[in-house]
Amino acid sequence: MTGFDLIVRGGRVVTPQGVLAADIGVRAGRIAEVGTLAGDAARELDAAGRIVLPGGVDVHCHIEQRSGMGRMNADTFETATRSALIGGTTTTISFAAQEKGERLSDRVADYAARARAGAMTDHAFHLTVSDPSVPGFADDLNGLIAAGHRSIKLFTTYNIALADRQILDVMAVARAAGALVCVHAENDALIGWTRDALLSRGLTRPVHHAVSHPRLAEIEAVERMIRFAEFLGTPVMLFHISTSEAAEAIRAARARGVPIRAETCPHYLFMTSDVLDRPGIEGAKWMCSPPQRTEADQAALWAALGDGTLDLVSSDHAPYRFDASGKLSDGPAAPFPAIANGLPGLETRMPLMFDALAPTGDAGLLDLARLTADVPARIYGLPTKGRIAAGMDADLVLWDPDRQTTWADDDLHDNVGYNPWAGRRLRGWPVTVLRRGKVVVEDGTLRSGPGEGRWLPRDAIGIATAPPSAEIALLEATP
Ligand code: DUC
Ligand code: ZN
Ligand code: ZN
């Protein structure tokens, strides 16, 4: 069969086999063939001079969600996912966040309905568990996992933190049911103690937020979650790693076979905590948890991405406007604990990573596809996403490798109203974006509408369980 719906012709195509001069034939929304294609097509896209990458897969973004501090995101599914598409990301995993006392399945139904109406990206949800004491919780969770929601999010801090015992309970359910447990790992006591010590000394500005999240808070909680994963043999994903010591703990755990995976984010790779040190409350725009760290941490995180200690780069898109609806809801002189945490990142993740990695040649392009699309899709159980290969969804991004941009404060397409990367110069731009073979961004202009994205049920995650500790093995052998 030769006739294609679409041929993307003549690009440098980044495939798992290497960077190829090739055409891509698309049929019924899927990649039918990659190679030199003589056949005809209903439509052709000229990719000469373009680098063709798989659509970005952003597996950690907060969309239309109430935070643990009770603040509503600035973005709806429509505004967040339009900015994702324009930035070269075609698949998102955001959160269905249980609030205390409610059934998780009710909350999932609510998020699913809103995403179905608004999302332009293909999408899935992490199940955020904040209250496992709700009657019937384990049955509810098992039912949701069986229905295709195969990742769970837990916190060790904030007012939605679970106790260690509850974390173990959820990890045990996840192991048996085949789900991945994702953890925001920071020690709550170290943060609370340090925060109160700062406040009692009148140290309340955004720059003090970084001090209030000590490196040891991340290190301790990461080490504890590694031990929990090791004890039960449960696959665990550690979110937004920011310190060299945490990366080192993950490296050691992986070497002894613990089923641990981990991610970092652009704001840890390209920013330091200096971003918080601005006059007045301006630094609030850059406040996130964990906070940005040091240049030495940046180097350690890049090394960890290079040697496979860290698996992927997500955005942790957490959008709040710099006004009374968001960051400044407690006023323009709010102390740092009253300021919502998070930065927008759905639109900026791929261009930042392209700018950093593409100049290093084919190896850099392969790393780029691996860290931003392929590995995220494999880990989270999205078999048709993240790769340019026959049989995969035709989620393709045509990059102009030479186009230079300097970001301004008002040029993103989310609903946040500022760009934390304003002033940054970049080389490389996602000019054309296809989602399942449809052109959804054409030379920077959106050609998609609300509700065109599809929910992606997941049959299995991509990480095997590991043999548990001797004590658990004994328990499992005891009827
Ligand atoms: N930290 C989080 O854990 N989530 C959202 C944003 C942030 O800064
Ligand atoms: Zn987090
Ligand atoms: Zn997050």
Side-chain angles (χ1 to χ4, degrees), residues 60 62 153 155 158 184 239-240 289-290 316:
H60 180 174
H62 301 265
K153 165 82 178 293
F155 289 83
Y158 295 141
H184 175 125
F239 271 172
H240 45 51
S289 296
D316 198 3

Side-chain angles (χ1 to χ4, degrees), residues 54-392:
V57 178
D58 193 341
V59 292
H60 180 174
C61 40
H62 301 265
I63 302 180
E64 210 172 312
Q65 182 193 332
R66 195 182 303 282
S67 76
M69 289 166 77
R71 305 283 163 72
M72 196 61 199
N73 286 169
D75 273 320
T76 61
F77 278 96
E78 180 180 344
T79 62
T81 59
R82 81 178 173 214
S83 86
L85 289 182
I86 290 170
T89 285
T90 50
T91 300
T92 50
I93 308 185
S94 57
F95 297 85
Q98 180 200 27
E99 298 192 9
K100 292 208 173 161
E102 72 181 11
R103 275 175 71 95
L104 192 50
S105 50
D106 291 345
R107 187 50 74 189
V108 172
D110 162 47
Y111 275 90
R114 285 185 279 136
R116 195 161 42 245
M120 302 185 201
T121 49
D122 289 350
H123 54 271
F125 302 102
H126 305 296
L127 308 171
T128 302
V129 173
S130 65
D131 188 358
S133 72
V134 173
F137 172 78
D139 288 345
D140 203 19
L141 180 58
N142 272 310
L144 288 164
I145 295 169
H149 300 283
R150 293 212 172 249
S151 46
I152 300 166
K153 165 82 178 293
L154 307 176
F155 289 83
T156 62
T157 186
Y158 295 141
N159 56 3
I160 51 173
L162 298 195
D164 284 353
R165 175 71 186 263
Q166 294 175 312
I167 293 176
L168 288 170
D169 284 342
V170 174
M171 282 188 185
V173 171
R175 181 176 200 268
L180 178 62
V181 177
C182 307
V183 187
H184 175 125
E186 289 185 286
N187 180 296
D188 192 56
L190 288 178
I191 294 169
W193 192 92
T194 315
R195 176 197 60 221
D196 292 347
L198 287 161
L199 296 180
S200 71
R201 287 164 176 76
L203 302 173
T204 63
R205 295 183 43 238
V207 71
H208 302 119
H209 165 75
V211 187
S212 79
H213 284 250
R215 326 171 50 84
L216 278 167
E218 175 173 280
I219 297 161
E220 187 281 329
V222 160
E223 288 175 344
R224 185 162 28 110
M225 291 307 110
I226 287 171
R227 293 300 179 184
F228 284 13
E230 192 168 9
F231 179 63
L232 292 170
T234 301
V236 169
M237 163 62 68
L238 293 166
F239 271 172
H240 45 51
I241 294 301
S242 68
T243 62
S244 59
E245 297 93 328
E248 190 49 46
I250 294 161
R251 184 175 287 117
R254 293 184 78 148
R256 60 178 194 274
V258 183
I260 280 286
R261 299 292 183 272
E263 58 157 42
T264 190
C265 311
H267 40 283
Y268 305 114
L269 293 169
F270 302 111
M271 289 176 177
T272 69
S273 58
D274 290 350
V275 291
L276 298 168
D277 196 2
R278 306 193 184 223
I281 202 161
E282 180 79 8
K285 290 178 180 173
W286 288 268
M287 274 179 58
C288 59
S289 296
Q292 299 86 350
R293 306 286 185 184
T294 68
E295 285 181 7
D297 291 301
Q298 291 179 351
L301 296 175
W302 279 110
L305 288 170
D307 71 11
T309 296
L310 299 179
D311 298 273
L312 64 97
V313 176
S314 75
S315 69
D316 198 3
H317 179 84
Y320 300 98
R321 296 179 68 82
F322 191 62
D323 62 25
S325 73
K327 294 271 184 186
L328 307 183
S329 58
D330 276 39
F336 69 82
I339 296 171
N341 284 199
L343 314 177
L346 268 167
E347 190 170 337
T348 50
R349 178 186 72 126
M350 294 297 299
L352 286 163
M353 294 301 291
F354 188 99
D355 176 64
L357 290 171
T360 63
D362 285 3
L365 292 173
L366 292 169
D367 283 346
L368 179 62
R370 172 174 66 85
L371 296 169
T372 62
D374 193 355
V375 169
R378 306 285 77 73
I379 287 179
Y380 284 96
L382 301 168
T384 64
K385 299 296 185 187
R387 277 186 186 171
I388 299 181
M392 308 296 284

